[in-house]
Amino acid sequence: MERNKKMKKMTRILILIIIVGMLGFGLWQVRQTSPVKSTSIVTAIINSISYSDVQATTPYDALVVIAKKNNLVLQTKQYDFGVFVEGIGDKKNTQAKAWIYYVNGKSGEVSADKYELKQGDSVEWKYTTPIY
């Protein structure tokens, strides 16, 4: 009888250890598979000048890469919604014109640092009249 109680207790402890181990492994797996932004090779156009094979994850990343290679000064401001480009080189945003990015011909609907690029995308930064 005493031996039977010990076996039940050992079985319960073993089951508990297995359950805890499975939960811990499951949580570890979730952390291991969290999404990571991947770099894509894109074409970027700034002020009508085209740059091929730019490695970037976002339109903003593409802009930063090209600005560094061409010694362009970027003026940006960080907001809760993301980065806002206020100027590229000597062209600054005004009420009449602003820097707006386009991906595959469509203007961005989120900030330039939040849009995830895909392989082969075409990113264009235009100094143009904003549509409000």
Side-chain angles (χ1 to χ4, degrees):
M1 186 83 166
E2 184 68 32
R3 181 177 173 169
N4 207 8
K5 284 184 179 181
K6 284 184 179 181
M7 287 298 283
K8 284 184 181 181
K9 187 175 182 179
M10 290 296 286
T11 302
R12 288 180 187 152
I13 291 172
L14 185 58
I15 290 172
L16 184 61
I17 290 172
I18 291 171
I19 291 172
V20 168
M22 288 172 49
L23 287 173
F25 181 74
L27 291 174
W28 179 78
Q29 285 290 89
V30 168
R31 277 190 236 125
Q32 293 297 319
T33 59
S34 49
V36 175
K37 290 182 179 179
S38 62
T39 301
S40 298
I41 306 296
V42 300
T43 298
I45 303 164
I46 299 176
N47 219 15
S48 301
I49 300 172
S50 183
Y51 303 88
S52 300
D53 301 327
V54 177
Q55 292 187 1
T57 56
T58 67
Y60 179 69
D61 290 341
L63 176 61
V64 169
V65 167
I66 292 168
K68 284 181 182 176
K69 286 183 180 177
N70 294 282
N71 295 319
L72 291 172
V73 176
L74 296 181
Q75 292 181 338
T76 62
K77 193 166 186 178
Q78 181 68 48
Y79 290 95
D80 291 339
F81 61 81
V83 173
F84 180 71
V85 175
E86 295 184 329
I88 301 174
D90 61 347
K91 294 184 179 180
K92 317 245 180 302
N93 292 352
T94 65
Q95 287 186 340
K97 287 195 169 191
W99 286 103
I100 300 173
Y101 80 91
Y102 296 77
V103 177
N104 302 324
K106 295 177 81 175
S107 63
E109 296 178 355
V110 297
S111 69
D113 64 326
K114 303 294 183 201
Y115 186 100
E116 289 190 40
L117 294 172
K118 295 174 191 67
Q119 195 75 12
D121 278 347
S122 176
V123 178
E124 185 170 6
W125 284 89
K126 295 181 183 180
Y127 189 62
T128 187
T129 304
I131 301 170
Y132 296 106

